[in-house]
Amino acid sequence: RTALALLRTPRPSAGSQRDGPLASELLTACYIGISAMFTAVPIEGTKLPSWTHKPHILVEVMKVMLEAVYAAPSGFEAARIANDVARLWESFVQGGTRLMSRSAGRSGKVTLQAKVQRATRGFAIMLIAHALDQQRRWGGVEAAVKGSLGRLDPELRAAARGSELARWKEAVAAIDVGLVSLLSGLEGADHLKQSLYTGLR
């Protein structure tokens, strides 16, 4: 319900800022809820988790969370959300939170997590395409820092600039790491990679 409530709120544009404690609490609740779903995927089993039947819902929630990174009112908030998003992306393409040494379908014994990975990794394309689109729309670190400092009292801006710059760079780095995870989830799925490249042209 929390995820759906967040999805029903207007999405921020690349130049706007979503503010307020309610939005922050909703994003945190979404992260905790989705993380719990991924953590609950057991090593053994035959029945796929119910969320795998409609993975596009989780994808939409993660899209909203990514947009909140670029619309964050401060570098601190952006870095916090970005790290959450990157962790969710990694768990999503792995099919759960347990570390897998090989991609789904390449080991002799297929675990339930590998089955989840195989059933949902096609949706990683949506996350990658959306992330690249958001990066293109974003004004960059310097513009984000300027926007964050503009929310502070003039006498506080000079002292806060270094911290804001570091936090926004941390947010960018976290998203880049997350994108690597998403791309690695397409390993061995050349048809999915080709679909991604075609869609980005």
Side-chain angles (χ1 to χ4, degrees), residues 14-15 17 70 72 137-150 161 164-165 168:
Q17 290 182 326
Y70 297 116
R137 293 169 179 266
W138 190 47
V141 170
E142 287 297 332
V145 170
K146 183 178 180 180
S148 296
L149 295 177
R161 176 173 173 75
E164 283 294 329
L165 181 61
W168 276 107

Side-chain angles (χ1 to χ4, degrees), residues 32 35 42 44 46-47 58 65-66 76 85 95 98-101 107 117 127 149 157 164 169 175 187 190 192:
I32 293 173
S35 292
E44 303 294 339
T46 57
K47 185 178 181 181
L58 295 187
M65 292 181 69
L66 177 63
F76 177 84
V85 169
R98 294 173 177 81
L99 182 63
M100 295 178 65
S101 58
S107 59
Q117 182 191 35
L127 293 171
L149 295 177
R157 293 172 186 171
E164 283 294 329
K169 287 183 176 180
I175 295 303
E187 181 183 355
D190 293 339
L192 293 177

Side-chain angles (χ1 to χ4, degrees), residues 59-186:
V59 168
E60 287 302 314
V61 176
M62 288 186 280
K63 284 182 180 180
V64 172
M65 292 181 69
L66 177 63
E67 290 171 11
V69 172
Y70 297 116
S74 70
F76 177 84
E77 186 72 1
R80 182 186 68 80
I81 304 169
N83 280 294
D84 286 350
V85 169
R87 284 189 288 266
L88 291 180
W89 282 351
E90 181 179 24
S91 296
F92 183 76
V93 295
Q94 288 184 170
T97 57
R98 294 173 177 81
L99 182 63
M100 295 178 65
S101 58
R102 303 184 214 181
S103 297
R106 297 182 62 188
S107 59
K109 182 179 180 181
V110 181
T111 65
L112 180 61
Q113 184 171 322
K115 293 177 182 178
V116 172
Q117 182 191 35
R118 189 166 51 200
T120 62
R121 67 178 176 177
F123 289 85
I125 294 176
M126 300 179 185
L127 293 171
I128 295 169
H130 177 259
L132 294 177
D133 179 65
Q134 289 299 302
Q135 286 182 340
R136 284 194 295 266
R137 293 169 179 266
W138 190 47
V141 170
E142 287 297 332
V145 170
K146 183 178 180 180
S148 296
L149 295 177
R151 304 173 70 85
L152 301 177
D153 292 334
E155 62 270 18
L156 300 177
R157 293 172 186 171
R161 176 173 173 75
S163 175
E164 283 294 329
L165 181 61
R167 289 295 190 171
W168 276 107
K169 287 183 176 180
E170 178 186 343
V172 171
I175 295 303
D176 287 343
V177 170
L179 276 170
V180 171
S181 296
L182 289 175
L183 289 168
S184 68
L186 300 181

